[in-house]
C-alpha cells in the first residue's frame, strides 16, 4: 500500500510541475492567431520586422493601440511579452528574447521587444509571420500576429 501511495504522489507532483508551462504551439495554431486584439475596449495591433544580420535572424516587435490618443501606458502596462514565434516556409522557431536588452519596454505608446536566433535557410524577401504570446497580470494568454518579409542589412 505504501508503494502505491508513493507512486500516486509522484504522479501528482509531476503533473503539478507540468501545469505551469504552456505547450509549444503548432504552426496551424500560430497561423490562425488574430492580427488585432481587443483589450479593455481598445484595439491593439502588432508590427514586426525581421532582418538577417550577423549570421542570424533578428526580430523587432511593437504592440500598440491602433488609435492615437489612447492611454497606451495604462493599457500596455498590464501586458508582458511571453514569447515570440516566427513561422516560415521551413517551419517554426521560438525566438529567445535578446538577453542584452530588457525583455520589453513600454515607451512611446507601444510595447517593444527584440529577439534573435539562427537564420536557418532564410533569405532576404522570404515571407515570415511573427506571432506574439502576451500575458496579462491575471495570467490570461493572448495571441497577436503580423506578416512581413525578411529584410537584411
Amino acid at each position: 500500500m505504501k508503494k502505491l501511495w508513493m507512486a500516486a504522489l509522484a504522479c501528482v507532483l509531476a503533473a503539478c510541475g507540468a501545469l505551469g508551462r504552456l505547450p509549444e504551439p503548432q504552426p496551424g495554431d500560430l497561423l490562425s492567431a488574430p492580427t488585432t486584439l481587443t483589450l479593455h475596449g481598445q484595439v491593439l495591433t502588432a508590427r514586426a520586422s525581421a532582418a538577417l544580420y550577423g549570421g542570424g535572424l533578428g526580430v523587432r516587435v511593437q504592440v500598440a493601440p491602433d488609435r492615437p490618443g489612447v492611454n497606451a501606458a495604462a493599457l500596455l502596462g498590464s501586458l508582458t511579452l511571453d514569447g515570440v514565434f516566427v513561422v516560415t516556409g521551413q517551419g517554426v522557431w521560438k525566438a529567445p528574447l535578446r538577453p542584452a536588452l530588457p525583455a520589453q519596454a513600454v515607451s512611446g505608446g507601444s510595447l517593444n521587444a527584440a529577439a534573435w536566433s539562427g537564420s536557418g535557410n532564410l533569405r532576404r524577401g522570404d515571407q515570415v509571420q511573427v506571432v506574439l504570446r502576451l500575458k496579462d497580470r491575471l495570467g490570461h494568454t493572448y495571441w497577436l500576429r503580423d506578416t512581413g518579409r525578411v529584410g537584411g542589412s
Side-chain angles (χ1 to χ4, degrees), residues 33-126:
T35 55
T36 61
L37 171 65
T38 303
L39 189 65
H40 305 296
Q42 303 297 324
V43 177
L44 300 175
T45 58
R47 289 182 292 276
S49 62
L52 295 170
Y53 65 93
L57 178 69
V59 178
R60 292 196 181 281
V61 295
Q62 182 180 56
V63 177
D66 70 341
R67 291 184 316 163
V70 171
N71 186 355
L75 181 63
L76 297 170
S78 66
L79 295 174
T80 58
L81 184 62
D82 187 50
V84 176
F85 300 86
V86 179
V87 182
T88 70
Q90 302 158 9
V92 175
W93 57 267
K94 180 179 180 190
L97 294 176
R98 183 183 290 175
L101 298 174
Q104 65 179 17
V106 176
S107 64
S110 62
L111 176 66
N112 304 290
W116 186 87
S117 187
S119 64
N121 295 324
L122 287 176
R123 296 191 173 136
R124 288 188 69 199
D126 284 352

